[in-house]
Amino acid sequence: MTSPFPPEIRARYRDEGHWGDVTLPAMFAATCARVPERLGLVDAPNRPQVAGGTVRRMTYAAMREAVDRYAALLQAQGLGPGSLIATQLPNIAETVLLYLAIGQIGAVLSPISIAYRSAELRDLSKVAGFDAYISLASLKGQPFYAERLDALPGGVLRLGIGDGLPDSVTPLDIDAPGIPAPTPAELDADALYAVFWTSGTEGVPKAVPKTHNNMMASSLGAWKKLNLPDGANILAPFPFVNAAAVSGLMMCWMRTAGALFLHHPFDVAVFLEQLKTEDVTYTMVAPTVLVYLRGLASDPDLHPALNRLIAIGTGSAPPDPEVFVFFQERFGIPVVNFFGSNEGAQMCSSVDRLPDPRQRATFFPRDGDENWKPDLRTANGGSFTLVDPATGAPVTEPGALGEMYHRGPALLPGYYSRAGLDRSKFTTDGFFPSGDLFQISDCGTLIRFHARSRELIVRGGMKISPVELDNVLSALPGVREVATAAYADSQMGEKVCLFAAMNPGESLTLPDVTAFCDRIGLAKFKWPERLEIVEALPRTPLAKLDRKALARWLAEHGEAHA
């Protein structure tokens, strides 16, 4: 498959040292040759209950053999360079092995969330035109593949793993006898490695293509900022379905050449068991899990696990700054805050740039702003400008707010479909408007995520950032997680509703919330005027807060149900 990037872009990022000629399969093969007997891949202990089969603990040599067998089985089905192969799998050993095998034969991976059912799969198939689809027979003891069969177009090869697959599905069994060696494929680091999918909160998910070099740039940025040593072991509780998880966890593991401990769907008891019993060096968790771990820190059985950690990564939602302080002061663990998108944005608040843990939870370095210090770059080698959404003028002054337009070696070449690449959102000079609003700090050297441009709450003409409110209100006593959203009001246009999930045995009332806002000196127009107590906040298939689901719920429920 030819590169989706023009020659001048390829030359530019090669000259800058961001792109090269190493593909993901080449990186994996080199690691297998260097440390063949080192432990490389470990299933979660509940794997039999989640996906069937037995728990695998594989060395790099065993992985190398398994990947070759999967590659040969895929080639036997007529798949090869340019074939688009969809996968819908939890984080089990076969998932990682298949991702590597698909790349090895020159095909293109397209991972799909296991939360998607036949309706979403049908929509994605129309956009991408898959050549093959791989999933598993059952998930948590319930048939999984059978429900999705009719959503796939007739020409799609149906491949699967596990016992009990439908008759029309060809099993991929690497333990079968007589599997030949795979045929070597000519690989190009500028060719597509994967097609990821956006969350779909604004309609049908968009297809985000990424080359090997795109992924290398993303993973190199995270790996450098984390400063993980050779042989570092990684516990991966985020599903490998988006660019952030694949580059920030799976590919960081490929660079450290340690063990990758798999986990998914998220189960806090299993996660804690893995932390306590395995030699984990680094993990990345949602902010709510950080809060949960803080609450368990008095458990002496957990202390050895926490003391083994070099760092903890977090992202996907605004974190509580006091949690960052706690882990750094109590256990010497720096919590590293990431902000990214499938399309290619990546910022990282690391200890070397932001030693103050409270700042690290809220701000990101302004590195990469071409209107500030044009020689600096973001974590993945990119750059950006902040643009006034109303005027289109550059935003440069401390305290000012603008939409981030970014470009760089991790940026997608355009949205994907079999009809071609859609670059209609790009500016003439190659910037991609992210829809994310950032505010420059008062000191001028940092930026802070403010809100998605379409999620701002406008109360009587006053614009309110829901992310800012989430950060402030996460300190309410007794809450596990919170989020704010707008609801319609005939006089003010919109008002603020607070959704709160409580810790066991805790309660919260609207007067409690307003008293808290008054006590901390929050401007009154930002105070929530409605409270909804919920079991948990809605999440997208990529584990991000689904604020639009909250807004839809509010639109459907006129009266409060606190």
Side-chain angles (χ1 to χ4, degrees):
M1 176 180 284
T2 59
S3 173
F5 289 99
E8 59 272 18
I9 295 294
R10 301 201 299 270
R12 173 185 173 183
Y13 292 131
R14 273 177 160 73
D15 290 344
E16 293 179 359
H18 297 299
W19 287 0
D21 296 314
V22 179
T23 62
L24 272 68
M27 178 191 287
F28 173 68
T31 299
C32 293
R34 181 169 68 87
V35 290
E37 300 309 314
R38 187 180 285 178
L39 181 66
L41 190 63
V42 182
D43 271 320
N46 66 335
R47 182 251 163 83
Q49 292 75 41
V50 171
T54 58
V55 173
R56 294 178 184 260
R57 296 182 73 92
M58 306 180 73
T59 64
Y60 278 91
M63 290 174 61
R64 171 78 273 178
E65 181 179 353
V67 169
D68 282 347
R69 285 174 167 264
Y70 272 128
L73 290 173
L74 294 173
Q75 288 179 330
Q77 295 296 319
L79 300 169
S83 300
L84 185 61
I85 303 176
T87 61
Q88 197 171 16
L89 299 163
N91 286 3
I92 55 177
E94 289 88 338
T95 304
V96 177
L97 300 173
L98 280 165
Y99 283 18
L100 293 166
I102 289 168
Q104 183 172 316
I105 66 172
V108 181
L109 166 72
S110 188
I112 299 171
S113 168
I114 60 170
Y116 284 166
R117 299 180 66 188
S118 56
E120 292 87 1
L121 186 57
R122 189 174 292 109
D123 286 340
L124 270 53
S125 297
K126 290 176 182 177
V127 173
F130 302 124
D131 296 299
Y133 169 83
I134 305 172
S135 193
L136 70 174
S138 62
L139 182 70
K140 294 185 175 181
Q142 300 298 316
F144 189 82
Y145 209 130
E147 184 187 316
R148 289 153 178 81
L149 274 175
D150 292 341
L152 297 167
V156 177
L157 285 170
R158 291 154 167 80
L159 309 173
I161 58 175
D163 297 327
L165 289 165
D167 292 339
S168 59
V169 177
T170 301
L172 295 174
D173 182 7
I174 57 172
D175 295 322
I179 298 176
T183 302
E186 185 176 343
L187 303 179
D188 182 353
D190 288 324
L192 287 185
Y193 165 71
V195 172
F196 298 103
W197 297 91
T198 64
S199 298
T201 54
E202 298 176 2
V204 175
K206 296 183 178 67
V208 179
K210 292 296 184 78
T211 67
H212 292 260
N213 270 325
N214 280 151
M215 302 302 295
M216 289 290 185
S218 293
S219 66
L220 186 61
W223 178 65
K224 283 182 174 179
K225 292 295 183 183
L226 291 167
N227 197 29
L228 298 176
D230 180 64
N233 299 329
I234 295 175
L235 173 56
F238 279 98
F240 292 149
V241 294
N242 62 359
V246 173
S247 63
L249 287 169
M250 180 178 156
M251 289 189 62
C252 268
W253 156 71
M254 292 176 67
R255 291 185 181 279
T256 64
L260 181 65
F261 298 105
L262 299 171
H263 182 109
H264 177 237
F266 188 77
D267 183 307
V268 69
V270 175
F271 181 77
L272 289 174
E273 179 185 350
Q274 289 176 287
L275 274 183
K276 291 177 180 179
T277 60
E278 303 287 8
D279 185 13
V280 178
T281 311
Y282 170 71
T283 188
M284 185 174 188
V285 297
T288 52
V289 178
L290 277 177
V291 174
Y292 187 81
L293 286 176
R294 179 180 62 177
L296 295 177
S298 59
D299 178 1
D301 292 338
L302 191 59
H303 289 180
L306 294 174
N307 285 319
R308 284 193 295 266
L309 289 170
I310 290 178
I312 301 175
T314 193
S316 79
D320 180 355
E322 297 309 313
V323 175
F324 282 49
V325 175
F326 175 84
F327 281 103
Q328 185 158 316
E329 293 184 350
R330 179 79 176 272
F331 294 100
I333 303 172
V335 181
V336 181
N337 194 15
F338 289 93
F339 179 93
S341 68
N342 264 329
E343 285 85 351
Q346 185 193 59
M347 287 174 291
C348 174
S349 287
S350 55
V351 178
D352 64 323
R353 296 292 287 112
L354 287 171
D356 182 339
R358 289 186 178 88
Q359 276 196 331
R360 202 183 321 129
T362 307
F363 292 96
F364 296 93
R366 198 177 168 185
D367 302 0
D369 188 341
E370 294 195 4
N371 293 314
W372 180 54
K373 293 186 178 181
D375 293 336
L376 296 180
R377 291 292 181 265
T378 62
N380 61 6
S383 62
F384 65 88
T385 62
L386 296 180
V387 176
D388 187 313
T391 67
V395 171
T396 60
E397 296 301 316
L401 187 72
E403 180 182 356
M404 179 174 284
Y405 283 51
H406 62 94
R407 64 181 176 184
L411 184 64
L412 81 166
Y415 287 116
Y416 176 90
S417 74
R418 280 299 170 100
L421 293 176
D422 178 4
R423 289 184 56 84
S424 59
K425 288 192 68 174
F426 286 73
T427 64
T428 55
D429 49 358
F431 281 93
F432 180 85
S434 67
D436 299 313
L437 298 175
F438 281 83
Q439 185 175 36
I440 302 173
S441 66
D442 291 339
C443 68
T445 65
L446 307 171
I447 56 173
R448 176 174 62 89
F449 177 62
H450 187 74
R452 290 286 295 171
S453 59
R454 297 182 183 181
E455 292 178 353
L456 284 176
I457 302 168
V458 184
R459 183 188 188 279
M462 302 293 287
K463 294 182 179 179
I464 304 168
S465 164
V467 174
E468 176 194 3
L469 282 185
D470 293 354
N471 283 329
V472 170
L473 298 173
S474 65
L476 278 163
V479 300
R480 188 175 75 250
E481 56 180 352
V482 299
T484 51
Y487 68 96
D489 180 79
S490 58
Q491 290 185 324
M492 305 306 294
E494 291 180 331
K495 289 183 177 180
V496 177
C497 176
L498 171 65
F499 290 83
M502 306 304 297
N503 287 320
E506 301 288 349
S507 62
L508 187 68
T509 66
L510 189 58
D512 294 335
V513 176
T514 55
F516 175 83
C517 294
D518 191 25
R519 188 164 63 250
I520 65 173
L522 186 68
K524 197 167 184 178
F525 74 88
K526 298 180 182 178
W527 292 11
E529 296 174 76
R530 177 172 176 175
L531 171 65
E532 298 289 343
I533 302 298
V534 295
E535 291 282 335
L537 298 178
R539 301 281 173 182
T540 71
L542 304 185
K544 294 184 178 181
L545 171 68
D546 190 350
R547 205 181 302 272
K548 286 189 169 54
L550 298 178
R552 287 194 298 271
W553 189 92
L554 288 167
E556 295 167 0
H557 296 77
E559 296 182 0
H561 297 271

